[in-house]
């Protein structure tokens, strides 16, 4: 190691940034926030710990020098991770763990903490302290024994069925496929406990969910501080997604219970929880966060990149509404399409151009495409795919629109405002904390008639629309510039101490 690196290692804090399904392998608001954080914060060395559904070959973002390492954990990979991933462990250790793992080691060292873990994750008498302690014991187990051999063993299957019988009524009526899927789901939650954690000063988790598991291990191993940042409200969005899924009632109930337990664990064990909007804190306090460990840091935008500019020539005379949103249910593109139908009856040549990833939910994309066809909006509503330059995309619109049913503090709103493009958005998350009556309109979710009325009003009143755009830009400059936000995170990292004082009580939360 040269002298420069030695100096950096002494001065710089080392932060483990734990993401789930976002940075650096997928686009979206959380990824943009993560990328900005990694690029612009000073005297911070980042290690990215990316929890993904499946293995990703390469990042979608260019990686800054501040990022010293990327650890990828593909939760739903169908193969043994040791066959493809390099977690810095020796081949001998991998082989030794497999040799050590058998029915005896599982019977005597795994089944009891596994039972405590599952019972306090999904049972009727859950206790956070017991759940936390079981996580540490299971982590210690996986230091000596193999994850794959253990979780696929018949003894674990039999134990899990017993746990289900103890904690769920009518368990005898369950179909075997539901129990099998549930065990697979539980086992995937345990996977991060089998992955080595590098030494860090702070663990920064990007949602109050599974990322708390590696964070707790880093705290246990290295006395690292834990900081959580909530963008959307994980537990709320998870409930919406699971409730609307095609899963059985039993599986939905099990996943929601486990999500609640993990969420409470994240809120109560983090040294600090920062939120990107005041709206989030209502849910956080409800799920166990103390107000003294809560802080709001709004998202910020690069006001020099997202600046007022000219509308492209080919759209100059076309009333245009722009949206940047991944095409999936929480963004409620269906309501956006219905809004377009309302507007097209008043302004026949209107164009809604939606830029966003169409791979997140293929079934939902098909539903959107079918509705566009059914309403004969092929010339009015365009699913344009990902746009690599959102600052230019917003300039295509006279206004921008957001129809989400759940948000944190969406970048698309303040990016549009910074470009001098007023926003018509739904009253979710921190949207109403960004948009004022001078800079746009806030409407109830799914109310496509009111959304449509506001869009028509702005498109038919260009002077008012332009004035709102000027006010929107002014509001961003006063409140949501990038430098202010980055300084807030740098100060927060600096103030996080490696020691947290807390009183532990073995009291159930249900």
């Amino acid at each position: 190691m040269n002298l420069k690196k030695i100096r950096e290692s002494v001065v710089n804090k080392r932060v483990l940034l734990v993401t789930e399904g976002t940075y650096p392998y997928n686009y979206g608001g959380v990824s943009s926030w993560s990328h900005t954080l990694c690029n612009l914060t000073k005297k911070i060395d980042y290690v990215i710990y990316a929890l993904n559904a499946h293995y990703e070959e390469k990042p979608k973002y260019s990686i800054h020098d501040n990022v010293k390492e990327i650890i990828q954990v593909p939760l739903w990979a169908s193969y043994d991770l040791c066959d493809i991933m390099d977690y810095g462990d020796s081949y001998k250790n991998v082989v030794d763990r497999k040799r050590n793992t058998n029915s005896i080691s599982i019977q005597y060292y795994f089944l009891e903490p596994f039972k405590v873990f599952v019972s306090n994750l999904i049972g009727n008498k859950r206790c956070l302290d017991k759940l936390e302690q079981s996580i540490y014991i299971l982590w210690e187990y996986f230091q000596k024994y193999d994850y794959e051999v253990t979780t696929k063993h018949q003894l674990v299957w039999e134990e899990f069925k017993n746990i289900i019988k103890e904690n769920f009524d009518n368990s005898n009526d369950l179909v075997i496929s539901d129990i099998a899927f549930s065990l697979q789901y539980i086992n995937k939650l345990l996977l991060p406990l089998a992955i080595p954690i590098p030494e860090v000063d702070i663990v920064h988790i990007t949602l109050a969910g599974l990322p708390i598991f590696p964070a707790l291990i880093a705290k246990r191993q290295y006395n690292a501080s834990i900081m959580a940042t909530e963008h959307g409200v994980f537990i709320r969005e998870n409930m919406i997604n699971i409730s609307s899924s095609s899963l059985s009632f039993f599986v939905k109930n099990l996943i929601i219970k486990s999500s609640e337990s993990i969420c409470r664990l994240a809120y109560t064990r983090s040294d600090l929880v920062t939120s990107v909007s005041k709206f989030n804190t209502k849910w956080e306090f409800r799920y166990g966060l103390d107000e003294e460990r809560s802080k709001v840091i709004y998202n910020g935008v690069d006001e020099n990149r997202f600046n007022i500019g000219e509308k492209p020539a080919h759209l100059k005379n076309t009333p245009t509404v722009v949206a940047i949103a991944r095409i999936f249910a929480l963004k409620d593109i269906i309501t956006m399409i219905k809004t377009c139908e309302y507007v097209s009856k008043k302004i026949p040549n209107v164009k809604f151009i939606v830029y966003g990833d169409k791979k997140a939910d293929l079934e939902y994309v098909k539903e959107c495409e079918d509705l566009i066809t059914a309403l004969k909006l092929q010339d009015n509503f365009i699913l344009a795919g990902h746009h690599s330059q959102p600052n230019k995309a917003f300039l295509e619109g006279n206004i921008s629109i957001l129809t989400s049913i759940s948000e944190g503090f969406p970048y698309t709103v303040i990016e549009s405002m910074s470009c001098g493009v007023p926003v018509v958005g739904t009253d979710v998350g921190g949207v109403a904390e960004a948009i004022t009556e001078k800079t746009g309109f806030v409407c109830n979710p799914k109310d496509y008639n009111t959304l449509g009325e506001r869009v028509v009003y702005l498109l038919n009143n260009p002077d008012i629309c332009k004035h709102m755009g000027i006010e929107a830009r002014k509001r961003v400059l006063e409140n949501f510039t990038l430098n202010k936000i980055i300084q807030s995170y740098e100060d927060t990292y600096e103030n996080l101490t490696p020691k947290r004082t807390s009183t532990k009580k073995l009291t159930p939360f249900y």
Side-chain angles (χ1 to χ4, degrees), residues 30 35 56-57 162 183 193 209 227 250 270 383 439 442 474:
V30 177
H35 190 60
E56 301 286 347
E57 289 190 5
N162 291 334
L183 177 57
L193 303 182
M227 173 179 172
F250 168 76
S270 294
L383 296 174
T439 66
V442 178
K474 181 181 176 182

Side-chain angles (χ1 to χ4, degrees), residues 276-293:
V276 297
S277 71
K278 294 176 183 176
F279 171 85
N280 288 4
T281 61
K282 299 174 185 177
W283 283 79
E284 293 163 355
F285 299 154
R286 188 184 307 172
Y287 277 85
L289 177 63
D290 298 324
E291 289 192 34
E292 60 266 24
R293 291 185 292 108

Side-chain angles (χ1 to χ4, degrees), residues 419-482:
C419 291
V421 178
V423 184
V424 175
T426 44
D427 189 6
V428 292
V431 171
E433 296 169 45
I435 300 173
T436 68
E437 58 185 11
K438 293 182 179 180
T439 66
F441 292 105
V442 178
C443 311
N444 291 329
K446 295 189 176 294
D447 186 358
Y448 54 85
N449 287 324
T450 303
L451 286 160
E453 287 175 5
R454 299 295 183 255
V455 169
V456 169
Y457 175 80
L458 287 174
L459 293 178
N460 283 339
N461 293 276
D463 290 341
I464 293 175
C465 186
K466 183 176 181 181
H467 179 71
M468 276 191 166
I470 293 170
E471 288 295 321
R473 168 77 178 174
K474 181 181 176 182
R475 179 158 173 77
V476 168
L477 294 179
E478 291 175 352
N479 298 279
F480 309 122
T481 59
L482 205 54

Side-chain angles (χ1 to χ4, degrees), residues 13-31:
K13 283 196 173 184
R14 193 166 168 85
V15 174
L16 186 72
L17 185 66
V18 189
T19 64
E20 186 174 356
T22 55
Y23 190 72
Y25 298 104
N26 293 287
Y27 294 116
V30 177
S31 293

Side-chain angles (χ1 to χ4, degrees), residues 51 84 91 112 128 136 162 179 189 209 214 347 402 421 452 482:
L51 293 160
I84 192 169
Y91 180 71
E112 182 57 31
L128 286 183
Y136 298 140
N162 291 334
I179 300 176
L189 297 181
I347 307 174
L402 177 141
V421 178
L482 205 54

Side-chain angles (χ1 to χ4, degrees), residues 48-219:
I48 309 297
Y49 186 104
L51 293 160
N52 292 332
H54 305 287
Y55 172 70
E56 301 286 347
E57 289 190 5
K58 61 181 182 178
K60 285 188 168 68
Y61 290 81
S62 58
I63 303 302
H64 194 272
D65 289 344
N66 288 348
V67 176
K68 305 304 178 184
E69 184 181 359
I70 299 176
I71 301 168
Q72 184 182 171
V73 182
L75 293 171
W76 290 88
S78 57
Y79 42 76
D80 189 331
L81 290 188
C82 294
D83 293 337
I84 192 169
M85 307 300 297
D86 179 11
Y87 293 119
D89 207 358
S90 70
Y91 180 71
K92 179 182 182 301
N93 286 343
V94 173
V95 172
D96 284 347
R97 279 197 296 270
K98 288 186 181 295
R99 285 176 177 169
N100 292 339
T101 310
N102 51 48
S103 58
I104 296 174
S105 60
I106 293 170
Q107 177 75 49
Y108 284 97
Y109 303 118
F110 181 78
L111 291 185
E112 182 57 31
F114 177 73
K115 180 179 181 179
V116 174
F117 174 79
V118 178
S119 298
N120 287 282
L121 188 73
I122 64 173
N124 294 321
K125 296 181 180 179
R126 290 169 274 169
C127 173
L128 286 183
D129 291 291
K130 291 179 181 178
L131 177 61
E132 181 183 5
Q133 289 305 311
S134 70
I135 289 170
Y136 298 140
I137 295 169
L138 289 168
W139 168 72
E140 290 173 355
Y141 172 88
F142 287 126
Q143 306 313 296
K144 299 177 182 178
Y145 302 104
D146 185 71
Y147 168 85
E148 290 286 335
V149 177
T150 299
T151 55
K152 293 178 180 178
H153 201 279
Q154 180 69 21
L155 284 172
V156 177
W157 167 249
E158 297 297 335
E159 182 65 29
F160 185 69
K161 287 194 294 182
N162 291 334
I163 298 169
I164 295 301
K165 287 180 182 178
E166 292 175 9
N167 288 279
F168 289 88
D169 297 331
N170 302 320
S171 59
N172 291 330
D173 300 330
L174 294 175
V175 295
I176 201 74
S177 59
D178 279 350
I179 300 176
F181 178 84
S182 299
L183 177 57
Q184 187 182 27
Y185 168 79
I186 295 293
N187 286 338
K188 296 305 178 183
L189 297 181
L190 293 176
L191 181 55
L193 303 182
I195 307 300
I197 301 293
E199 185 170 356
V200 292
D201 302 299
I202 298 168
V203 184
H204 193 167
I205 64 177
T206 57
L207 78 165
L210 183 56
I212 191 60
F213 284 17
L216 287 172
I217 299 308
K219 190 171 190 69

